[in-house]
Amino acid sequence: MKIAIALFEQVTALDAVGPYEVLQRLPDAEVLFVGHQRGEIRTDNGFLGLTIDHEFEDVPSPEVLLIPGGIGTRALVHDGTILNWIREAHQTSRFTTSVCTGSLLLGAAGILKGLKATTHFAARPLLEKYGAEPSNQRVVQQGKVITAAGVSSGIDMALRLAELLTDPTTAKALQLMIEYDPQPPHDAGALEKVDPAVLRRAQELSRDKH
Amino acid sequence: MKIAIALFEQVTALDAVGPYEVLQRLPDAEVLFVGHQRGEIRTDNGFLGLTIDHEFEDVPSPEVLLIPGGIGTRALVHDGTILNWIREAHQTSRFTTSVCTGSLLLGAAGILKGLKATTHFAARPLLEKYGAEPSNQRVVQQGKVITAAGVSSGIDMALRLAELLTDPTTAKALQLMIEYDPQPPHDAGALEKVDPAVLRRAQELSRDKH
């Protein structure tokens, strides 16, 4: 089963690698990292290089496509190459998925019209521009289109997707293999859960980085 | 603040990228991916390429060192280059950390003698060989040595570490930025939580891959 994960300059690494770590363990998975051209791209702040192994045109009809987010998506919502690939791959995919601001690319490709969808909390209002109905759920499934919220939510999305592709025992086994038994020190992972000082600090940290 | 994350052939990507995604957002973080030689390495099953930017000897005294796991660690417990680097960097580090079977390398470097430590559940008994006391906690801190359990636990570890390096508001802001509000579809992320059929399936899937 071909699972294509898009990579591009200024991708958020965990958006891609979280789901990858679940899906690569499916018994018949062939995970393909695809992009504009083969070679290295750098993550949003440049600290990590990841390799594109396949050009978009070489993987026209994966069973699963997954679009991660990152500030790189801001330019890509106007990029015909990736939008055409998404549109065409979506015609034959079993599942078309995104993590974080990857959903803006699904939107720009015209796939989210009339659908509920999610993205990073800071980008949620932008979904409306593509005719989508923003949701504050962590993972939103609409038929074969599944969108996930910010960054780490791709792990939860991939576990659901794994179950849709296999069975509950296999999905639980994948969760066990990556020991996904989350115990964050605080309950601060959603906008609705933090006080204004935490949001202000997050905004400061985002400005520092970009 | 220099944060060195080791990379090597057959690393488990999420072990490195989970903590990276938290730590790179610290206001003064400089994350350096280090290894035997600059260039690409491939993850445990070969599906993803990650880039080593710095050789071990070029980053002798990072404030934080982080050793991820993966089947590549099986050979590295006998590799003088990485073990010497770990040992020497540990002399001056503020924190020496591992995720998953990365703790076996801390053990082989002699750092875990007499300490409680953790690793992937399947490797837990191996810690005893290095004089460590295996723990089934998700994150184990012993002074400046922090070990985390399997794969995804590195995210929880990094959030604790971020708080030790800064303050609770910043740690919560980092958690918000990556929207770490876990909602796995099942509660199957720890050995103690699954029935025998799930463990058997995990063992089958591990055999298929390696």
Side-chain angles (χ1 to χ4, degrees):
Chain A
M1 179 176 49
K2 281 194 202 314
I3 298 168
I5 300 179
L7 291 178
F8 43 81
E9 289 294 337
Q10 298 191 294
V11 71
T12 297
L14 185 55
D15 292 12
V17 171
Y20 156 78
E21 203 60 78
V22 174
L23 300 174
Q24 59 109 335
R25 294 164 199 269
L26 285 168
D28 58 348
E30 184 190 1
V31 183
L32 305 165
F33 285 90
V34 301
H36 288 84
Q37 51 184 44
R38 277 184 284 277
E40 185 194 63
I41 55 89
R42 305 292 297 191
T43 52
D44 24 28
N45 57 22
F47 285 143
L48 175 60
L50 301 166
T51 308
I52 293 170
D53 288 324
H54 306 274
E55 298 185 8
F56 289 124
E57 64 186 22
D58 297 333
V59 188
S61 46
E63 270 108 323
V64 174
L65 65 153
L66 187 149
I67 313 295
I71 57 164
T73 59
R74 292 186 200 169
L76 291 177
V77 294
H78 307 293
D79 180 290
T81 304
I82 190 168
L83 298 183
N84 283 333
W85 176 74
I86 291 171
R87 236 177 327 250
E88 287 177 23
H90 179 60
Q91 300 297 317
T92 53
S93 70
R94 285 180 68 188
F95 291 98
T96 298
T97 71
S98 66
V99 179
C100 201
T101 50
S103 58
L104 302 181
L105 299 184
L106 298 189
I111 287 171
L112 298 182
K113 278 197 195 93
L115 301 185
K116 284 186 192 165
T118 192
T119 186
H120 192 276
F121 70 86
R124 236 182 259 158
L126 298 177
L127 283 169
E128 289 180 8
K129 163 171 164 186
Y130 302 113
E133 185 188 329
S135 163
N136 61 1
Q137 284 176 47
R138 188 158 172 82
V139 177
V140 177
Q141 184 179 0
Q142 299 269 278
K144 75 175 191 178
V145 178
I146 311 180
T147 55
V151 194
S152 64
S153 64
I155 300 173
D156 302 68
M157 189 271 283
L159 288 167
R160 288 212 207 178
L161 176 57
E163 184 160 339
L164 292 166
L165 291 167
T166 60
D167 56 83
T169 299
T170 299
K172 288 178 191 174
L174 296 169
Q175 185 178 354
L176 177 63
M177 290 166 86
I178 64 161
E179 286 200 79
Y180 190 49
D181 181 33
Q183 295 168 32
H186 299 286
D187 187 16
L191 190 56
E192 298 75 17
K193 293 183 169 184
V194 300
D195 65 36
V198 171
L199 178 59
R200 270 198 308 276
R201 186 76 180 116
Q203 287 164 339
E204 282 164 18
L205 291 168
S206 298
R207 270 197 300 274
D208 285 355
K209 289 293 172 183
H210 307 311
Chain B
M1 180 175 49
K2 283 194 202 309
I3 298 168
I5 301 179
L7 290 179
F8 42 82
E9 289 295 336
Q10 298 190 294
V11 70
T12 296
L14 185 55
D15 293 11
V17 171
Y20 155 78
E21 203 60 78
V22 174
L23 301 174
Q24 60 109 335
R25 293 164 199 268
L26 284 167
D28 58 348
E30 184 189 2
V31 183
L32 304 165
F33 285 90
V34 301
H36 288 84
Q37 51 184 44
R38 277 184 284 278
E40 184 194 63
I41 54 89
R42 305 292 297 192
T43 53
D44 25 28
N45 58 21
F47 286 143
L48 174 60
L50 300 166
T51 309
I52 293 170
D53 287 325
H54 307 275
E55 297 185 10
F56 289 125
E57 64 187 22
D58 297 334
V59 187
S61 46
E63 272 107 322
V64 174
L65 64 153
L66 187 149
I67 313 295
I71 57 165
T73 59
R74 292 187 200 169
L76 292 177
V77 295
H78 307 293
D79 179 289
T81 305
I82 190 168
L83 299 183
N84 283 333
W85 177 73
I86 291 171
R87 237 179 324 253
E88 288 177 21
H90 179 60
Q91 301 297 317
T92 53
S93 69
R94 286 180 68 189
F95 291 98
T96 298
T97 72
S98 66
V99 179
C100 201
T101 50
S103 59
L104 302 180
L105 299 184
L106 298 189
I111 287 172
L112 299 183
K113 277 197 196 93
L115 301 185
K116 284 186 192 166
T118 193
T119 186
H120 193 275
F121 70 87
R124 238 182 256 157
L126 298 177
L127 283 170
E128 289 179 10
K129 163 170 165 185
Y130 302 113
E133 184 188 328
S135 163
N136 62 2
Q137 283 176 46
R138 187 159 173 82
V139 177
V140 177
Q141 183 179 359
Q142 299 270 279
K144 75 175 193 179
V145 178
I146 311 179
T147 54
V151 195
S152 64
S153 64
I155 300 172
D156 302 67
M157 189 273 282
L159 288 168
R160 289 213 207 178
L161 177 57
E163 185 158 340
L164 293 166
L165 291 166
T166 59
D167 57 82
T169 299
T170 299
K172 288 178 190 173
L174 295 170
Q175 185 178 354
L176 176 63
M177 289 166 87
I178 64 161
E179 285 199 79
Y180 190 49
D181 181 32
Q183 296 167 32
H186 300 285
D187 187 16
L191 190 56
E192 298 74 18
K193 293 183 168 184
V194 301
D195 65 35
V198 171
L199 178 58
R200 270 199 306 277
R201 186 76 180 116
Q203 287 163 339
E204 281 164 17
L205 291 169
S206 297
R207 270 197 300 275
D208 285 356
K209 289 292 172 184
H210 308 310

